[in-house]
Amino acid sequence: PPPSDNAIVIHVRDFSPDEGDKNNHLEVGVYRDIIHRYSNNNNNVTGDREIIVVCQPKSTKSELVQALVEEFGAEVRTGTDSIDAMCFLSRTQGMLILSTSSSFSEMGALLAEQNGGDVEVHYPTHTLDKPACTMKVPSWKYHLVEQSRVIDFDVDHERLKVVQS
């Protein structure tokens, strides 16, 4: 089933060992900061919003996914293949937190916006100078992060110096 209209969907994309950790070891604090700031639920970080982590089957036991489950009681969805994951991301209508350095994640967000809903897209990035994002989308919320926290919310997309090909 698709996520509920007010669900918070977090995409965790991992890469093969030879590519290194392109998520740069983000910790649960980054996600906590984003959810707390944008969920508008006063002292209750998530309110009654469902938190769903979308990842590859091999990632279900990763430190980050386990921390998201422990902190938020998140449901983990892997699907049967990458097409399932893309379909799920593209049907998100609540909050969607993208995986750093993942064009797959970005494409899911673009499709979610095209589905006519009111998805709120968040993109954590470690740098403004040549960040590992494929595109700058004015409607997305970019956040400058350190390993465990957000240090600058709502960075204007024009400040991102994306490599042009």
Side-chain angles (χ1 to χ4, degrees):
S4 63
D5 287 348
N6 72 341
I8 298 170
V9 177
I10 300 169
H11 183 226
V12 174
R13 172 80 186 220
D14 56 3
F15 300 85
S16 60
D18 58 322
E19 294 181 54
D21 180 7
K22 293 191 178 180
N23 290 299
N24 292 315
H25 303 290
L26 288 183
E27 295 177 2
V28 72
V30 169
Y31 302 94
R32 182 187 316 114
D33 287 352
I34 293 169
I35 292 168
H36 190 284
R37 179 154 181 147
Y38 297 97
S39 65
N40 299 322
N41 289 309
N42 301 322
N43 294 327
N44 186 349
V45 173
T46 62
D48 61 353
R49 297 177 80 173
E50 174 183 31
I51 308 264
I52 302 167
V53 176
V54 177
C55 64
Q56 295 169 290
K58 68 179 183 175
S59 302
T60 59
K61 301 295 183 199
S62 74
E63 191 174 314
L64 175 58
V65 171
Q66 289 301 301
L68 291 166
V69 168
E70 185 175 317
E71 173 106 6
F72 301 115
E75 175 186 344
V76 178
R77 294 202 189 167
T78 61
T80 57
D81 57 24
S82 59
I83 294 170
D84 275 354
M86 181 62 72
C87 288
F88 192 81
L89 293 173
S90 70
R91 295 176 77 184
T92 300
Q93 295 303 306
M95 181 188 296
L96 177 56
I97 303 175
L98 303 183
S99 184
T100 300
S101 305
S102 172
S103 56
F104 183 92
S105 196
E106 291 176 62
M107 185 56 66
L110 286 174
L111 290 171
E113 288 185 328
Q114 293 303 309
N115 281 335
D118 193 22
V119 64
E120 181 179 291
V121 179
H122 296 267
Y123 191 102
T125 181
H126 293 280
T127 181
L128 302 179
D129 185 25
K130 299 179 186 151
C133 57
T134 308
M135 63 198 88
K136 300 188 290 187
V137 181
S139 60
W140 292 2
K141 297 180 184 306
Y142 295 90
H143 310 295
L144 187 59
V145 301
E146 290 180 340
Q147 182 177 351
S148 63
R149 66 187 184 98
V150 176
I151 56 176
D152 193 2
F153 289 98
D154 293 326
V155 173
D156 187 288
H157 73 284
E158 293 297 335
R159 288 180 55 200
L160 299 172
K161 295 176 180 74
V162 178
V163 176
Q164 301 294 321
S165 55

